[in-house]
Amino acid sequence: MVSDNMTVEDVMTTDLITVAPTASVRVAAEMMMEAAVKAVIVTAVEPGIITSTDLIEVVAKGLSPTSTSVEAVMTPRVETVTPAIPVTEAAAMMETFGISHLPVCSDDIVGMISATDVTASMG
């Protein structure tokens, strides 16, 4: 069970995978597959995120993964959390916003917390 004092920093992933907004969706998909993750940070002026759900939408819409840019399908201006907030608060945000990943920010992006991280912290 998640204790009330367990913070995002205790369970977040710090090995971030990043992709440029101009990269193709195929490149992002290959990066996710190689790293066995379901989301990567998009390094833009305002960082965004591209997730496996976004990749599915590209295929479902018949778009070309090779010629479609990450920027065209990413979520810009994502919700973020700080490392010090309780895991329970991050989980509540995911529930409220219907998302499964939250970038963790101090001054810069320092990690990512996923619904999988939250679930794993409960055991």
Side-chain angles (χ1 to χ4, degrees), residues 79-105:
E79 296 294 329
T80 62
V81 293
T82 64
I85 75 162
V87 170
T88 52
E89 189 174 324
M93 286 179 68
M94 288 181 199
E95 175 84 18
T96 299
F97 295 114
I99 56 178
S100 57
H101 295 83
L102 286 166
V104 182
C105 297

Tab-separated table of all heavy atoms in Angstrom, residues 79-105:
chain	number	residue	atom	x	y	z
A	79	GLU	N	0.409	18.369	-18.216
A	79	GLU	CA	0.350	18.491	-16.761
A	79	GLU	C	1.654	17.924	-16.206
A	79	GLU	O	2.166	16.934	-16.726
A	79	GLU	CB	-0.830	17.685	-16.199
A	79	GLU	CG	-2.186	18.180	-16.632
A	79	GLU	CD	-2.523	19.555	-16.087
A	79	GLU	OE1	-2.067	19.905	-14.975
A	79	GLU	OE2	-3.251	20.282	-16.769
A	80	THR	N	2.175	18.539	-15.170
A	80	THR	CA	3.413	18.062	-14.548
A	80	THR	C	3.229	18.025	-13.031
A	80	THR	O	2.284	18.606	-12.493
A	80	THR	CB	4.610	18.977	-14.882
A	80	THR	OG1	4.362	20.282	-14.356
A	80	THR	CG2	4.859	19.046	-16.382
A	81	VAL	N	4.156	17.339	-12.371
A	81	VAL	CA	4.190	17.302	-10.910
A	81	VAL	C	5.617	17.579	-10.455
A	81	VAL	O	6.553	17.481	-11.247
A	81	VAL	CB	3.714	15.936	-10.350
A	81	VAL	CG1	2.245	15.719	-10.629
A	81	VAL	CG2	4.549	14.789	-10.899
A	82	THR	N	5.761	17.896	-9.192
A	82	THR	CA	7.090	18.074	-8.617
A	82	THR	C	7.496	16.789	-7.905
A	82	THR	O	6.630	15.987	-7.521
A	82	THR	CB	7.129	19.239	-7.606
A	82	THR	OG1	6.273	18.916	-6.512
A	82	THR	CG2	6.694	20.556	-8.248
A	83	PRO	N	8.788	16.576	-7.703
A	83	PRO	CA	9.235	15.347	-7.046
A	83	PRO	C	8.720	15.185	-5.620
A	83	PRO	O	8.599	14.062	-5.133
A	83	PRO	CB	10.760	15.474	-7.041
A	83	PRO	CG	11.092	16.479	-8.076
A	83	PRO	CD	9.917	17.397	-8.162
A	84	ALA	N	8.397	16.281	-4.959
A	84	ALA	CA	8.060	16.228	-3.533
A	84	ALA	C	6.587	15.945	-3.238
A	84	ALA	O	6.236	15.703	-2.091
A	84	ALA	CB	8.467	17.535	-2.859
A	85	ILE	N	5.721	15.947	-4.242
A	85	ILE	CA	4.309	15.725	-3.917
A	85	ILE	C	4.062	14.244	-3.620
A	85	ILE	O	4.776	13.372	-4.108
A	85	ILE	CB	3.342	16.239	-5.006
A	85	ILE	CG1	3.337	15.316	-6.221
A	85	ILE	CG2	3.591	17.661	-5.374
A	85	ILE	CD1	2.129	15.522	-7.104
A	86	PRO	N	3.045	13.960	-2.833
A	86	PRO	CA	2.723	12.559	-2.520
A	86	PRO	C	2.302	11.783	-3.768
A	86	PRO	O	1.658	12.339	-4.671
A	86	PRO	CB	1.552	12.672	-1.542
A	86	PRO	CG	1.624	14.054	-0.997
A	86	PRO	CD	2.206	14.896	-2.095
A	87	VAL	N	2.654	10.508	-3.812
A	87	VAL	CA	2.258	9.641	-4.915
A	87	VAL	C	0.737	9.624	-5.046
A	87	VAL	O	0.202	9.608	-6.153
A	87	VAL	CB	2.812	8.209	-4.713
A	87	VAL	CG1	2.216	7.237	-5.714
A	87	VAL	CG2	4.323	8.210	-4.803
A	88	THR	N	0.041	9.660	-3.927
A	88	THR	CA	-1.424	9.635	-3.965
A	88	THR	C	-1.982	10.851	-4.704
A	88	THR	O	-2.988	10.746	-5.401
A	88	THR	CB	-2.006	9.580	-2.538
A	88	THR	OG1	-1.427	10.634	-1.754
A	88	THR	CG2	-1.721	8.242	-1.875
A	89	GLU	N	-1.315	12.001	-4.587
A	89	GLU	CA	-1.755	13.204	-5.291
A	89	GLU	C	-1.512	13.062	-6.797
A	89	GLU	O	-2.353	13.446	-7.614
A	89	GLU	CB	-1.025	14.431	-4.748
A	89	GLU	CG	-1.583	15.739	-5.269
A	89	GLU	CD	-0.945	16.948	-4.601
A	89	GLU	OE1	-0.629	16.895	-3.395
A	89	GLU	OE2	-0.771	17.963	-5.300
A	90	ALA	N	-0.372	12.499	-7.176
A	90	ALA	CA	-0.079	12.260	-8.595
A	90	ALA	C	-1.104	11.289	-9.186
A	90	ALA	O	-1.602	11.494	-10.293
A	90	ALA	CB	1.338	11.731	-8.767
A	91	ALA	N	-1.425	10.245	-8.422
A	91	ALA	CA	-2.421	9.271	-8.875
A	91	ALA	C	-3.784	9.928	-9.062
A	91	ALA	O	-4.487	9.656	-10.050
A	91	ALA	CB	-2.518	8.116	-7.884
A	92	ALA	N	-4.153	10.811	-8.154
A	92	ALA	CA	-5.428	11.525	-8.267
A	92	ALA	C	-5.439	12.425	-9.506
A	92	ALA	O	-6.460	12.526	-10.195
A	92	ALA	CB	-5.680	12.350	-7.004
A	93	MET	N	-4.303	13.054	-9.815
A	93	MET	CA	-4.211	13.881	-11.021
A	93	MET	C	-4.394	13.036	-12.279
A	93	MET	O	-5.109	13.429	-13.202
A	93	MET	CB	-2.861	14.609	-11.085
A	93	MET	CG	-2.734	15.764	-10.130
A	93	MET	SD	-1.104	16.540	-10.241
A	93	MET	CE	-1.175	17.280	-11.877
A	94	MET	N	-3.759	11.869	-12.296
A	94	MET	CA	-3.901	10.984	-13.450
A	94	MET	C	-5.364	10.599	-13.646
A	94	MET	O	-5.870	10.606	-14.771
A	94	MET	CB	-3.045	9.728	-13.270
A	94	MET	CG	-1.566	9.966	-13.399
A	94	MET	SD	-0.671	8.404	-13.183
A	94	MET	CE	0.962	9.013	-12.816
A	95	GLU	N	-6.016	10.293	-12.553
A	95	GLU	CA	-7.441	9.927	-12.603
A	95	GLU	C	-8.286	11.101	-13.102
A	95	GLU	O	-9.116	10.958	-13.990
A	95	GLU	CB	-7.896	9.492	-11.201
A	95	GLU	CG	-9.370	9.205	-11.079
A	95	GLU	CD	-9.722	7.798	-11.499
A	95	GLU	OE1	-8.839	6.938	-11.564
A	95	GLU	OE2	-10.914	7.580	-11.764
A	96	THR	N	-8.057	12.270	-12.541
A	96	THR	CA	-8.824	13.468	-12.898
A	96	THR	C	-8.678	13.834	-14.371
A	96	THR	O	-9.657	14.153	-15.040
A	96	THR	CB	-8.394	14.670	-12.022
A	96	THR	OG1	-8.662	14.339	-10.657
A	96	THR	CG2	-9.129	15.941	-12.401
A	97	PHE	N	-7.433	13.797	-14.869
A	97	PHE	CA	-7.166	14.220	-16.240
A	97	PHE	C	-7.238	13.084	-17.250
A	97	PHE	O	-7.085	13.305	-18.453
A	97	PHE	CB	-5.801	14.918	-16.329
A	97	PHE	CG	-5.742	16.205	-15.554
A	97	PHE	CD1	-4.910	16.325	-14.447
A	97	PHE	CD2	-6.511	17.299	-15.913
A	97	PHE	CE1	-4.853	17.509	-13.722
A	97	PHE	CE2	-6.465	18.482	-15.202
A	97	PHE	CZ	-5.633	18.589	-14.106
A	98	GLY	N	-7.458	11.849	-16.777
A	98	GLY	CA	-7.558	10.717	-17.684
A	98	GLY	C	-6.249	10.429	-18.415
A	98	GLY	O	-6.255	10.130	-19.607
A	99	ILE	N	-5.145	10.531	-17.689
A	99	ILE	CA	-3.821	10.306	-18.284
A	99	ILE	C	-3.075	9.245	-17.486
A	99	ILE	O	-3.459	8.932	-16.353
A	99	ILE	CB	-2.991	11.609	-18.338
A	99	ILE	CG1	-2.850	12.233	-16.942
A	99	ILE	CG2	-3.609	12.597	-19.313
A	99	ILE	CD1	-2.001	13.488	-16.887
A	100	SER	N	-2.021	8.709	-18.080
A	100	SER	CA	-1.276	7.670	-17.367
A	100	SER	C	0.198	8.011	-17.176
A	100	SER	O	0.945	7.196	-16.655
A	100	SER	CB	-1.407	6.332	-18.102
A	100	SER	OG	-0.950	6.458	-19.424
A	101	HIS	N	0.617	9.206	-17.585
A	101	HIS	CA	2.004	9.643	-17.414
A	101	HIS	C	2.029	11.111	-17.015
A	101	HIS	O	1.283	11.923	-17.565
A	101	HIS	CB	2.796	9.490	-18.718
A	101	HIS	CG	2.964	8.082	-19.151
A	101	HIS	ND1	1.989	7.415	-19.857
A	101	HIS	CD2	3.977	7.205	-18.970
A	101	HIS	CE1	2.407	6.185	-20.094
A	101	HIS	NE2	3.597	6.030	-19.559
A	102	LEU	N	2.920	11.430	-16.086
A	102	LEU	CA	3.134	12.823	-15.684
A	102	LEU	C	4.635	13.108	-15.654
A	102	LEU	O	5.369	12.444	-14.907
A	102	LEU	CB	2.573	13.079	-14.279
A	102	LEU	CG	1.072	13.174	-14.133
A	102	LEU	CD1	0.679	13.083	-12.657
A	102	LEU	CD2	0.575	14.478	-14.727
A	103	PRO	N	5.099	14.066	-16.458
A	103	PRO	CA	6.491	14.477	-16.319
A	103	PRO	C	6.707	15.089	-14.933
A	103	PRO	O	5.818	15.747	-14.385
A	103	PRO	CB	6.667	15.532	-17.411
A	103	PRO	CG	5.610	15.202	-18.412
A	103	PRO	CD	4.442	14.709	-17.589
A	104	VAL	N	7.878	14.839	-14.371
A	104	VAL	CA	8.228	15.353	-13.047
A	104	VAL	C	9.225	16.487	-13.256
A	104	VAL	O	10.265	16.294	-13.892
A	104	VAL	CB	8.837	14.245	-12.162
A	104	VAL	CG1	9.150	14.787	-10.774
A	104	VAL	CG2	7.891	13.046	-12.082
A	105	CYS	N	8.879	17.673	-12.742
A	105	CYS	CA	9.705	18.853	-12.984
A	105	CYS	C	10.175	19.495	-11.694
A	105	CYS	O	9.416	19.617	-10.734
A	105	CYS	CB	8.914	19.897	-13.770
A	105	CYS	SG	8.427	19.338	-15.395
